[in-house]
Amino acid sequence: MREQRDGLAMSSVQRSILFSAVDRYGSLVLFMVATAVLSRLLSPAEFGVYAVVNAVTAVIGASFQEFGGGNYLIQKRELSPADVRSAFTIALGISVAIALLLFVLASALSDLFAQDGLKRGIEVSALNFLLAPFSGTISALLRREMKFGTLAICNFAAGVAVALVSIGLAMAGFSYMAPVWGALAGSAILTLALLASHRDFKVLRPSLLKHRDIISFGLYASGVSVINVFYNLAPQLFLARILDFMSVGLYSRAINLTQTFDKLVTQVLNPVIMPAIVARRQAGDDLKAVYLEAIELLSGAHWPFLIFVAIMARPIITIWLGETWLEVVPLVRLLCIANMALFAACLSYPILVAVGSVRDALISSFISLPPSLLVIFGASIFGVQAVAASAVLTLPFQAAVAIHFIGRHLGFRPRDITRALMKSGVVTAVTAFGTSGCAALMEAGIVTSLAGLASGLCAAALCWWLGLLLTGHPLLHQLHLAAASLARVAPKLRPSRSAL
């Protein structure tokens, strides 16, 4: 009976990952196409203004949005209608307050960055917060119930709206406001689609019956959220204040390319990770073994991907964004090397929540992020490349602190981490060897950028596979299982009514 139950649970997780992958990859394709078009319609400086608008609204929003946010609804063991209504009510009240705050501060923030256009951008972006409680609450309920088929459809519809509105307005001369209006259009479509699919409007009735439990969780969750969001966006804010908006635009594009792995893999797993880990904890599984196995699998894909992007940065930028953006290349290479330290980043918060220690997530952030911010601020004085180089110091430090806190709860030591990563290191070296050969042919002018990128991709894939075979990496076994499972259930992949 237990084996049957475990098999059903695994089938549910695999199905959820599949729908999550469809969702994320569809959104990634739309993002890549929209960015390629917009990069030829907008200048780096215009992208910089949009990046600052996005950064300002994200930092202020993160300060309060975890009160009643999705993570509370997902991690709650027994979720009652009163819990959902209270979470929605608190989220709605805070979101309205955030929107009003942004409207009030828009002019002052515009003066702070000496850019008049920021005022209008912030005011339009503030409208997103009026929609967030509706979409956030329903999305969290669907994630909790593993109904990722519905989420995939709704998110794809929103992504199409973002791309079409952004490109259309950019062609009409709306400059940096084009993606701002595009994001608002996407939020509106997402909210309408989720409301149409869920249709249980009782959960959206106002209530504060469970406010104490929600606020208790939200105090720590919001602290973790705001400090991490501010850290991630701080380089753009510092560059805008100290240098210029062109530097912000260049750094923003470099970050987008560097984080492609997150969009390809991590964001596919993110909606599933916390519900799955909580379920494994409730089933009595050893979270230490789960964590070590997970970082071995993630690093086996994460590191080779980043090495490939670092080596092939020039042809990728030339083909994707155009030659106007070639200044991004050294930034991408530095950020790829730095981001290799974040192989386990997507697991840190879910693991600490699963063991009932969201407080430690906040403490670890307070230990690692303020010193990192000081380093970034000092680097911003010397230019955008220095900011990218500073990540080589700050990201490994943050990863070490997070792993230390997780190790205290799960009982592993540094040598356990080293042992789990050894095979991935060999796979990465083999991948780099194959990719470097194709890069050398491009540098010598023997092949074009397109031919070099295509051959480099093939060489990297082949060498990666050989590396997995030579080391006996467990990722290879998981890939075989995934392929077999996909082939077996392919005829039945159409979601049923209950799944949607």
Side-chain angles (χ1 to χ4, degrees):
M1 179 66 70
R2 178 180 173 86
E3 290 180 358
Q4 184 179 9
R5 185 169 62 251
D6 290 345
L8 290 173
M10 183 57 66
S11 176
S12 174
V13 171
Q14 289 174 344
R15 186 183 182 88
S16 299
I17 291 175
L18 177 63
F19 282 127
S20 182
V22 172
D23 174 11
R24 298 301 175 178
Y25 293 156
S27 299
L28 178 62
V29 170
L30 289 171
F31 169 78
M32 298 289 283
V33 172
T35 301
V37 176
L38 289 173
S39 295
R40 289 160 173 82
L41 295 172
L42 304 178
S43 67
E46 288 173 311
F47 263 112
V49 177
Y50 165 68
V52 172
V53 169
N54 184 59
V56 167
T57 54
V59 169
I60 294 178
S63 303
F64 303 102
Q65 272 202 311
E66 272 300 317
F67 285 97
N71 287 333
Y72 169 78
L73 297 176
I74 293 170
Q75 61 84 41
K76 184 77 172 175
R77 289 196 179 189
E78 299 293 334
L79 191 67
S80 67
D83 291 318
V84 181
R85 293 182 190 132
S86 299
F88 168 74
T89 303
I90 291 173
L92 179 62
I94 290 174
S95 294
V96 170
I98 292 172
L100 293 174
L101 180 64
L102 286 170
F103 269 100
V104 171
L105 296 178
S107 181
L109 290 169
S110 181
D111 293 338
L112 175 65
F113 292 99
Q115 172 57 254
D116 294 335
L118 282 180
K119 181 177 184 296
R120 187 183 177 197
I122 292 172
E123 289 172 347
V124 173
S125 291
L127 298 176
N128 286 293
F129 290 101
L130 303 180
L131 302 171
F134 299 91
S135 60
T137 300
I138 296 175
S139 177
L141 292 176
L142 292 175
R143 286 172 58 195
R144 180 183 175 90
E145 297 164 6
M146 297 290 195
K147 293 182 178 179
F148 291 95
T150 299
L151 283 173
I153 295 170
C154 295
N155 286 332
F156 185 77
V160 171
V162 172
L164 292 178
V165 172
S166 298
I167 293 172
L169 293 180
M171 294 176 67
F174 275 65
S175 185
Y176 62 88
M177 285 300 298
V180 174
W181 282 111
L184 180 60
S187 295
I189 294 297
L190 177 62
T191 302
L192 292 173
L194 288 171
L195 288 172
S197 63
H198 191 66
R199 297 189 179 182
D200 181 11
F201 301 134
K202 294 179 181 179
V203 299
L204 304 180
R205 291 178 181 175
S207 173
L208 291 174
L209 187 62
K210 300 288 186 175
H211 70 280
R212 290 185 180 177
D213 189 28
I214 295 168
I215 291 174
S216 176
F217 179 87
L219 284 172
Y220 292 114
S222 288
V224 174
S225 178
V226 68
I227 193 169
N228 280 279
V229 169
F230 179 72
Y231 171 79
N232 289 330
L233 298 173
Q236 299 171 49
L237 297 175
F238 291 159
L239 289 170
R241 186 71 182 89
I242 296 173
L243 296 177
D244 51 44
F245 285 90
M246 182 176 177
S247 298
V248 179
L250 293 172
Y251 188 85
S252 175
R253 293 301 92 182
I255 286 290
N256 283 335
L257 179 54
T258 306
Q259 293 177 345
T260 303
F261 181 85
D262 290 336
K263 295 180 175 69
L264 283 170
V265 178
T266 307
Q267 288 185 15
V268 171
L269 300 176
N270 269 344
V272 185
I273 286 175
M274 187 173 292
I277 289 176
V278 171
R280 296 285 292 269
R281 179 200 63 181
Q282 293 173 347
D285 289 352
D286 179 13
L287 287 186
K288 172 185 174 181
V290 171
Y291 181 80
L292 293 175
E293 179 185 357
I295 65 171
E296 186 171 19
L297 295 174
L298 285 170
S299 61
H302 187 218
W303 287 356
F305 180 88
L306 288 175
I307 284 295
F308 171 79
V309 172
I311 295 172
M312 288 290 173
R314 187 176 185 87
I316 292 174
I317 295 298
T318 302
I319 295 168
W320 182 34
L321 303 180
E323 294 188 358
T324 307
W325 295 84
L326 284 178
E327 291 180 73
V328 169
V329 171
L331 310 183
V332 169
R333 288 173 173 160
L334 288 167
L335 290 171
C336 281
I337 299 302
N339 273 270
M340 290 180 70
L342 302 183
F343 57 88
C346 65
L347 300 171
S348 299
Y349 186 70
I351 285 287
L352 290 174
V353 170
V355 298
S357 189
V358 67
R359 179 173 176 269
D360 276 355
L362 178 60
I363 294 173
S364 67
S365 294
F366 271 121
I367 291 173
S368 64
L369 297 186
S372 299
L373 284 172
L374 289 176
V375 172
I376 293 172
F377 180 77
S380 65
I381 299 173
F382 300 98
V384 64
Q385 193 161 331
V387 172
S390 69
V392 178
L393 298 176
T394 58
L395 296 188
F397 171 62
Q398 293 164 33
V401 172
I403 290 173
H404 168 74
F405 274 88
I406 294 171
R408 288 171 54 186
H409 290 282
L410 302 188
F412 59 76
R413 297 182 178 182
R415 66 170 175 267
D416 297 318
I417 298 291
T418 303
R419 191 180 302 115
L421 298 176
M422 286 181 64
K423 292 181 179 179
S424 296
V426 175
V427 172
T428 304
V430 174
T431 305
F433 177 78
T435 308
S436 298
C438 297
L441 293 177
M442 280 189 298
E443 290 295 328
I446 298 175
V447 296
T448 64
S449 294
L450 182 59
L453 181 59
S455 61
L457 183 61
C458 293
L462 177 60
C463 291
W464 177 63
W465 191 262
L466 288 174
L468 295 177
L469 285 171
L470 290 172
T471 59
H473 201 289
L475 180 58
L476 187 62
H477 178 62
Q478 293 298 323
L479 291 173
H480 287 160
L481 289 178
S485 177
L486 185 60
R488 185 172 59 253
V489 304
K492 305 175 183 179
L493 286 181
R494 185 170 57 186
S496 64
R497 291 182 179 274
S498 61
L500 293 176

